[in-house]
Amino acid sequence: MENTTQAHQNAAATRPIETALEPHLKPMLTVEQQIAHMKSKGIAFKLVSEEEAAAHLREKCQFFRIYAYRKLFPKRIGGPREGEYVKLDFGHLKALSNLDRQLRDVLLAMTLDIEHFSKVRLLAAAEIQGEDGYAIMRAYRESASENQRSYIDSELDRREHDPYVGAIIRKYRHDMPMWVFCESMPLGAFSSLVKFCAERWTDEELDDIHYLLKYVRSTRNATAHGACWVNGITDIDPRMRPPATLVNALSSTEIPRRLRNKWLRGARMIQICVTLHLYGRIVPPGSCRSDRVRQLTCLFDIVHSSHLPAENPAVAALLFVERLTKATGLLL
């Protein structure tokens, strides 16, 4: 008994001492409290009733996410209602959330199309160059830095037992042809191979594709993980510069320079514009392109028919994106 008691005392002594935690500044709110909080910020419930909003928050979209779109509306300055949002209704937040989903859906589909047709373009170029598919991969691996080889090996290790590509990786792991590498490796590794081939064949178009794929990869990752786009679509980042290829392509369109300079100042808009530009260049006419055109048309129809104020930054940004799709030939 004494040994048991001593053991319990020793165990208790090793446990971390629990201390009282201070209340969080932003505790979790019930749906009713969420609505009350929005009302205190001047958000109205005329386009959507409080009952409908409560059902939406419980069943369709969590508060933290839908409330993020409030930043697209101005606040009152001065007076008894200072800090409240101007002419913001819950229906506006709901509409922006829906537009965001539509935008993510079409961008994700476009990035997957770009990835597919980039692989087709690379393999077609390899055939023209008379490559056998195996020797070029050996040369690629020999030219890679130690960090690049480590990255490739780690990806192969991670995917070796994948239910979709694991079998072909195990079969070709030690002498992998180009087409297997393209189908089994992620976009980042594929982009590295594109750069190697572009330099090997002095192919300026492939080199350009490699550079633009970096932006497409960022778009693909953000959309695939459901990141909000519209709430920060007009954010400006002084570190960001649009790629020269995009600037040169848009300079030959009817889009005025002042508009291009206005919108191409943040990561999200640049990624969207690069995705649209590269899609127009690399994806041929056919069912894929037709499907994306329908999705884009639906997105822009929703923008035009929504009850969102025309001066809303997200609306203005998406109207610029629509203009860009027409300038690149995706929409007529």
Side-chain angles (χ1 to χ4, degrees), residues 39-319:
K39 290 173 69 175
S40 72
K41 296 295 184 180
I43 300 174
F45 290 83
K46 296 178 180 178
L47 298 173
V48 176
S49 70
E50 291 185 32
E51 292 74 18
E52 291 171 322
H56 189 76
L57 290 168
R58 286 193 177 98
E59 302 168 7
K60 300 290 184 66
C61 187
Q62 59 137 322
F63 171 70
F64 185 73
R65 188 180 190 89
I66 200 167
Y67 193 50
Y69 302 103
R70 74 194 186 282
K71 66 177 288 188
L72 295 167
F73 292 82
K75 288 184 176 181
R76 299 182 186 277
I77 301 175
R81 299 177 64 187
E82 182 176 14
E84 292 185 6
Y85 291 97
V86 179
K87 296 181 180 180
L88 172 55
D89 192 281
F90 185 84
H92 297 144
L93 300 178
K94 184 179 176 183
L96 287 166
S97 177
N98 181 51
L99 280 174
D100 212 344
R101 179 184 60 80
Q102 297 271 358
L103 178 63
R104 285 196 307 273
D105 286 350
V106 67
L107 286 176
L108 177 57
M110 293 180 82
T111 60
L112 295 176
D113 291 344
I114 289 172
E115 183 176 2
H116 169 76
F117 286 102
S118 296
K119 293 172 181 177
V120 173
R121 165 70 173 81
L122 181 66
L123 292 172
E127 180 181 351
I128 292 172
Q129 294 293 330
E131 302 280 2
D132 70 2
Y134 288 88
I136 190 172
M137 291 305 300
R138 298 185 197 116
Y140 165 64
R141 186 172 180 85
E142 289 173 2
S143 71
S145 66
E146 184 176 344
N147 286 339
Q148 287 176 320
R149 286 194 295 270
S150 177
Y151 166 66
I152 293 170
D153 287 338
S154 66
E155 285 294 336
L156 290 171
D157 290 340
R158 189 169 66 86
R159 293 164 180 262
E160 196 166 26
H161 298 287
D162 182 88
Y164 302 99
V165 298
I168 60 172
I169 288 178
R170 291 192 298 272
K171 182 176 181 179
Y172 295 101
R173 176 69 188 261
H174 301 293
D175 193 16
M176 183 172 288
M178 190 179 195
W179 53 89
V180 171
F181 186 89
C182 288
E183 289 303 316
S184 60
M185 294 296 281
L187 185 56
F190 167 73
S191 178
S192 175
L193 176 61
V194 172
K195 179 174 178 59
F196 170 78
C197 292
E199 294 174 350
R200 181 181 176 94
W201 305 329
T202 319
D203 190 323
E204 293 183 3
E205 184 186 13
L206 268 183
D207 188 55
D208 198 30
I209 289 172
H210 153 261
Y211 185 57
L212 297 178
L213 281 175
K214 296 179 181 179
Y215 296 88
V216 173
R217 182 188 179 193
S218 296
T219 303
R220 197 272 310 275
N221 290 345
T223 53
H225 290 93
C228 292
W229 279 74
V230 171
N231 69 321
I233 197 169
T234 59
D235 288 353
I236 297 172
D237 185 345
R239 299 169 300 175
M240 292 296 298
R241 292 289 185 275
T245 301
L246 177 63
V247 174
N248 293 337
L250 294 183
S251 66
S252 62
T253 69
E254 83 288 354
I255 300 177
R257 182 176 180 177
R258 62 176 181 81
L259 277 182
R260 302 197 304 266
N261 292 340
K262 174 184 177 181
W263 291 113
L264 297 177
R265 295 186 295 171
R268 300 187 196 195
M269 280 296 286
I270 290 175
Q271 289 167 12
I272 290 172
C273 293
V274 168
T275 299
L276 290 167
H277 166 66
L278 186 55
Y279 194 95
R281 280 179 55 181
I282 205 167
V283 179
S287 60
C288 286
R289 193 170 176 125
S290 297
D291 288 344
R292 303 310 155 242
V293 168
R294 281 193 292 271
Q295 285 180 279
L296 286 168
T297 302
C298 179
L299 169 67
F300 299 132
D301 284 346
I302 294 174
V303 174
H304 287 290
S305 63
S306 74
H307 46 248
L308 290 164
E311 66 274 13
N312 185 274
V315 173
L318 290 173
L319 290 177

